[in-house]
Amino acid sequence: MIDPIASVLGDWSCGMNSASVFLRILLSFVFSAVIGCERSSKRHSAGLRTFIIAGIASTVSMLLDLYLTGQHRTELFLFSASSMLCVAVISIRSLMFSARGQIKGLTTAAGLWMCGVIGLALGVGLYFIGLIAFLALLCCLSWFPTAEKYLKNRSNHFEIHLELKDNRYLQNFVSTIRRLGLTIDEIERNTAYSGSGLSVYSIAISISSGELKKYKTHKEIIEALRSLEYIYHIEEMLP
């Protein structure tokens, strides 16, 4: 396979020399920095420095494997494998669980892993693949959240975090939900709030009414429920 960008740059960009090594590490730095800035601007757990380090580490690992393969005829890409393993561990550790049972940082963890993959592609000299993967990742992180939020707000299923002033009001809430044309799929008591004086639940809800499906969004339904006097707090649980 001949990389389109490498064919334009010249033969020097395909081989292992000082100029090509500098170019690959530089591109890895720039791509990782852009993704890291996007995540940092939204105050996510893994930020600018983490993405840069993960990207450059993956690129350098691939360069070391290419060097060992050429000089010592080895066929095991140990550095590349270990770097991706480390990125995977860091990605997992960036995941957090909130007191409301929500998983935080899943997109950032996946983005960090993808940044490592882009670093490997650049390290082996696949500039075009690295560029396309970078643009696709940036597009997913920057432009898709709005569309994803719209689709989720129109889906027939959603989960809410519910805080009642007293557990005696749970039956009243269930009755109200059914009158509105909603179906409760699951109710789970949240023990993290024990001793607070509140009864806190995570509730999975389905929209069974055709009228609600046509005209109401999750936000509008929750706003209507918020007006109930025995509800202390209610909000949709988002991934």
Side-chain angles (χ1 to χ4, degrees):
M1 176 182 176
I2 301 177
D3 186 84
I5 296 178
S7 63
V8 173
L9 294 175
D11 293 338
W12 66 269
S13 62
C14 301
M16 285 286 290
N17 52 71
S18 300
S20 67
V21 168
F22 176 79
L23 175 62
R24 296 175 194 185
I25 294 177
L26 177 62
L27 288 175
S28 181
F29 174 86
V30 172
F31 290 174
S32 301
V34 172
I35 300 300
C37 284
E38 193 280 337
R39 293 286 86 188
S40 296
S41 66
K42 297 178 181 176
R43 303 185 67 181
H44 290 284
S45 53
L48 177 61
R49 290 178 297 176
T50 305
F51 275 87
I52 291 176
I53 292 172
I56 291 179
S58 298
T59 301
V60 173
S61 297
M62 178 57 73
L63 289 170
L64 290 174
D65 280 332
L66 290 177
Y67 174 78
L68 293 176
T69 300
Q71 295 295 320
H72 302 285
R73 307 299 180 187
T74 61
E75 297 182 357
L76 297 176
F77 284 68
L78 297 178
F79 287 101
S80 302
S82 61
S83 70
M84 289 307 299
L85 179 61
C86 291
V87 170
V89 171
I90 296 172
S91 300
I92 293 173
R93 291 188 63 85
S94 69
L95 298 175
M96 297 181 296
F97 291 85
S98 70
R100 294 169 183 171
Q102 296 174 270
I103 300 177
K104 301 290 187 180
L106 187 59
T107 302
T108 299
L112 190 61
W113 171 78
M114 183 64 180
C115 207
V117 174
I118 293 173
L120 293 179
L122 293 173
V124 81
L126 297 175
Y127 306 104
F128 183 74
I129 292 177
L131 175 62
I132 296 301
F134 161 71
L135 294 176
L137 176 58
L138 185 61
C139 178
C140 287
L141 295 176
S142 301
W143 298 342
F144 282 13
T146 302
E148 185 180 28
K149 185 177 180 180
Y150 174 81
L151 292 174
K152 287 181 178 179
N153 202 30
R154 289 291 181 178
S155 69
N156 295 333
H157 307 278
F158 62 101
E159 294 186 30
I160 61 172
H161 170 84
L162 175 67
E163 299 177 12
L164 298 176
K165 295 178 181 178
D166 194 285
N167 58 11
R168 294 175 298 174
Y169 295 119
L170 181 60
Q171 185 58 49
N172 294 351
F173 178 79
V174 172
S175 300
T176 302
I177 283 290
R178 290 172 177 169
R179 285 198 303 269
L180 289 174
L182 304 171
T183 301
I184 294 180
D185 299 322
E186 183 181 357
I187 298 180
E188 182 180 352
R189 181 76 179 268
N190 194 328
T191 57
Y193 288 80
S194 299
S196 66
L198 298 172
S199 295
V200 183
Y201 304 90
S202 297
I203 304 178
I205 296 176
S206 295
I207 303 175
S208 53
S209 168
E211 197 70 14
L212 280 178
K213 290 179 183 179
K214 187 175 181 181
Y215 296 108
K216 295 297 182 182
T217 64
H218 301 172
K219 183 178 180 180
E220 291 172 323
I221 293 172
I222 291 173
E223 284 299 323
L225 294 173
R226 188 173 283 123
S227 63
L228 298 173
E229 61 180 9
Y230 51 79
I231 292 181
Y232 181 79
H233 179 73
I234 183 173
E235 66 176 350
E236 183 175 4
M237 297 174 63
L238 300 174

